[in-house]
Amino acid sequence: MLDEQALLQGLRDRRPEAFETLVRAYTPRLLAVARRMLGSDEDARDVVQDAFFNAFRAIDRFQGQAKLSTWLHRIVVNAALMKLRTRRRKPEESLEPLLPAFRENGHHADKFSAWDEAADDRAEREETRQVVRDAILTLPDTYREVLVLRDIEEMSTDETAHTLGITPNAVKIRLHRARLALRTLLDPHLRREPR
Amino acid sequence: MTESRLTCRECVEFLMEYLDDTLAGQVRVTFERHLSACPNCVRYLESYKTTTTICKKAFEVRDGESVPPVPEELIQAILAARLKAE
């Protein structure tokens, strides 16, 4: 078990072995977080490297109110968001095909099946977790970043708006559309099969 | 939208606010009235709700979960970057 207080003191004292302990202890988990957000090993490695660089520079400002692991996690998430933004060179694919379709009278064009009642429990299985992560990765970046911050990182609407530099209303609209699209992507995997 | 009836399209528009419990009184009443008559929208709402909760579970890196080994060169690159950061 890592003694965070002792580790933090070592980091503040600029002890090389403290930095090495930190990096070896937390990199595997942080790399997994970055990989899940970015869908690319190479980008995830860049992000973790950038995140540690930023953390090393900011270590004296770390107040110790949050756990060191939580603080590093947040830095990685922010670095992953920066990466999502910088790699956004080509126009994003439209979300429209993934949104629900309606008839002229405003009724749903499709008939929906109920999802498996145990869909939530199925999320405990790695197979389902992978399906959900893959679906999230297929969302356009501008929608994925909002979904990640709100539904995964559980930031508030205002905090998300501040982080992304958009209005709270834009956060709400994008989040809703991201969830609608994700629901469509998950539907074939989670709906209850006719018996 | 009329005060007394909502279409499925309008229901979908209000879904998030309904689940956040921020839908204004009268709209909430008409929303729920629509749900009581439209099982298709009920199924849609339930699956939307599951979508919002399943993401977090899918992204959690659980304690004890095996994560792929970290390349040693990455560790060394991070440690080398520390010297630049100081």
Side-chain angles (χ1 to χ4, degrees), chain A residues 88-94 140:
Chain A
R88 218 181 274 156
R89 294 188 194 96
K90 56 180 185 190
E92 286 188 353
E93 284 185 29
S94 169

Side-chain angles (χ1 to χ4, degrees), chain A residues 70-119:
Chain A
T70 308
W71 181 66
L72 285 170
H73 175 96
R74 185 52 65 88
I75 292 174
V76 164
V77 169
N78 282 333
L81 288 172
M82 290 293 290
K83 176 64 92 177
L84 281 175
R85 299 200 141 191
T86 54
R87 77 181 187 185
R88 218 181 274 156
R89 294 188 194 96
K90 56 180 185 190
E92 286 188 353
E93 284 185 29
S94 169
L95 204 66
E96 291 302 320
L98 297 174
L99 299 179
F102 299 96
R103 295 203 291 261
E104 267 185 27
N105 61 8
H107 289 306
H108 279 293
D110 300 302
K111 188 168 185 294
F112 302 107
S113 299
W115 279 10
D116 197 325
E117 280 164 16

Side-chain angles (χ1 to χ4, degrees), chain A residues 24 29 36 112 129 133, chain B residues 40 43 57-58 61 65:
Chain A
R24 291 199 183 277
R29 202 181 178 91
R36 284 170 190 189
F112 302 107
R129 284 156 48 84
R133 291 199 295 264
Chain B
N40 208 27
R43 290 190 292 270
K57 288 187 182 176
V61 181
E65 180 180 333

